[in-house]
Structures are given as structure tokens and as C-alpha cells.
Amino acid sequence: MAIEVKRMQRFTTAKFILGLIVFVGWVVVAIAVIVFFLPFFEVALWIKILGLVGGSLYGLTTVAVGQMGLAQIATAENTKRMIELLERSQRGINAQSPAVARNGPKIEPMLTKPN
């Protein structure tokens, strides 16, 4: 029983958009911190704290969503690699499949394409 490995997408557009989402999340956090310390707004301290906490939580949630998307793409890429290794071991190309798995490229969630 042979497993057919189809050509996998590179997800470059998705990685770009998710990277942009992560960047925007950090910008929102930075803006919340900056606005908190600006003396231009004459409001009560508790309102400034509420704005800081709310803006920071929103920004960090946005960062987390982007990172979860990148992790999902990394899972798909690692699954592809596992299928390739399984197919090689079933064909008997390499008798030492654990050694191939240890020495193969490690794919981690990142914004650039894996090696």
C-alpha cells in the first residue's frame, strides 16, 4: 500500500497575512502603552488604566491569533515531511528511518519559508 504525496502549497500568502496580523497586534499594544503615558488626555487614572489593559489585551489576543495560524501552517508542513519519511521507509529506500527523521530539516513556525 503506497502513499501518494501530492505537491504541497507553500502558504506564502497566508504566512504574510499572519505575520502582518502579529505585527499589527504588537503595534496596538505599543499604542496602548504610549497613550497611557501621554499627558494630553485629562481623564481619571482608572480610565487610562482601563484603556491600557483593554488595548493591551486586544493587541496580545491579535498576536496570539496570528501565531496560532502560523503554528497550523507549521503542522501542515511537518505532516507533509512525516508522510515523505513514511513513504521512504515503506519503499525501503533507507533502512534507518529514525536517523533520517533526526537529520531531516526541522520545520518550525516562522514567517520565512522553511529550508
Side-chain angles (χ1 to χ4, degrees), residues 6-19 69-78 80 84 107-115:
K6 297 180 181 180
R7 183 180 165 105
M8 188 173 154
Q9 299 176 8
R10 294 183 190 207
F11 303 110
T12 48
T13 305
K15 287 179 184 178
F16 174 76
I17 296 297
L18 290 167
L70 289 171
Q72 185 124 12
I73 291 172
T75 300
E77 291 171 341
N78 285 326
K80 176 188 176 256
E84 289 171 350
I107 301 174
E108 304 218 4
M110 63 180 109
L111 299 178
T112 60
K113 66 180 181 179
N115 296 335

Side-chain angles (χ1 to χ4, degrees), residues 76-95:
E77 291 171 341
N78 285 326
T79 302
K80 176 188 176 256
R81 177 76 176 133
M82 288 171 33
I83 290 172
E84 289 171 350
L85 291 170
L86 178 63
E87 187 178 58
R88 283 185 201 163
S89 72
Q90 285 182 343
R91 288 184 186 164
I93 292 175
N94 195 338

